[in-house]
Amino acid sequence: MKIVKYQKKYEMDFKSMSLAWIEKYFKVEEEYIRTLEKLKDLIDNGGMIFFAVEDEQVISACMIRPIKEHIWEIGKLVTKDHYQGKGIGSQIFKACINYAKDHDARKIILYSHTSLQPAIAIYKKFGFKEVPVSATKYSRSNYQAELEL
């Protein structure tokens, strides 16, 4: 298994894994679709997607992007079911954190749902702390937890 930065050939895997994850836990909203349709813009604007690849198959992926000066957001961390619990998602997550820090991030945020406590526990191991959900576009019901590093 190797961790690689964004490559166009893995984009469709990222989109399908992300949509499947969202459908499993939430209602797919237009904003999710728009985000996935604009991955090139995300990359062009300084963001990055990391992939865990095994035998040329994407098994995990995570995206990070700048949202304001020195503030970055992690989103769309997904790992295929039969690879979960093996530390692969944590490796991808760490790659995103390091990328943002290397690009002058002073604060990294992520949004979650309180029902996803196993993931929140992992985020906290990386030093993220839970804060009140800010009144932003993310204040809809899907997000009940905001964490920042």
Side-chain angles (χ1 to χ4, degrees):
M1 192 262 318
K2 61 184 175 180
I3 307 290
V4 297
K5 288 182 179 179
Y6 174 83
Q7 295 177 28
K8 179 75 173 161
K9 67 182 177 178
Y10 299 130
E11 187 174 300
M12 287 308 298
D13 290 322
F14 177 71
K15 288 178 179 181
S16 64
M17 289 171 64
S18 294
L19 279 175
W21 186 90
I22 292 166
E23 288 171 348
K24 183 175 179 178
Y25 294 101
F26 304 112
K27 176 184 171 217
V28 176
E29 297 182 15
E30 281 300 313
E31 183 180 329
Y32 297 131
I33 303 298
R34 282 193 303 272
T35 298
L36 293 173
E37 289 174 348
K38 296 181 179 183
L39 294 180
K40 183 179 181 325
D41 292 344
L42 177 131
I43 301 298
D44 290 346
N45 291 315
M48 184 53 63
I49 301 169
F50 286 89
F51 301 97
V53 179
E54 185 172 83
D55 298 325
E56 286 303 306
Q57 299 296 313
V58 175
I59 57 176
S60 185
C62 189
M63 157 179 109
I64 190 156
R65 65 186 180 132
I67 57 171
K68 294 181 184 175
E69 187 174 356
H70 307 297
I71 301 174
W72 287 61
E73 177 187 9
I74 290 181
K76 311 283 188 291
L77 171 61
V78 292
T79 302
K80 289 185 176 177
D81 287 344
H82 55 284
Y83 289 96
Q84 292 179 3
K86 298 180 180 186
I88 296 165
S90 292
Q91 290 179 53
I92 291 284
F93 193 72
K94 186 175 183 178
C96 283
I97 291 169
N98 290 338
Y99 183 85
K101 286 180 176 180
D102 289 347
H103 290 83
D104 206 24
R106 296 188 188 149
K107 180 163 100 171
I108 302 172
I109 58 175
L110 62 92
Y111 299 91
S112 189
H113 191 277
T114 53
S115 66
L116 302 174
Q117 285 302 321
I120 290 173
I122 292 170
Y123 303 148
K124 288 180 177 180
K125 287 181 183 179
F126 281 92
F128 281 80
K129 299 197 180 337
E130 213 163 334
V131 298
V133 177
S134 59
T136 68
K137 65 180 179 173
Y138 298 107
S139 62
R140 58 182 184 262
S141 63
N142 280 358
Y143 298 107
Q144 299 173 339
E146 180 176 338
L147 295 97
E148 67 179 44
L149 178 67

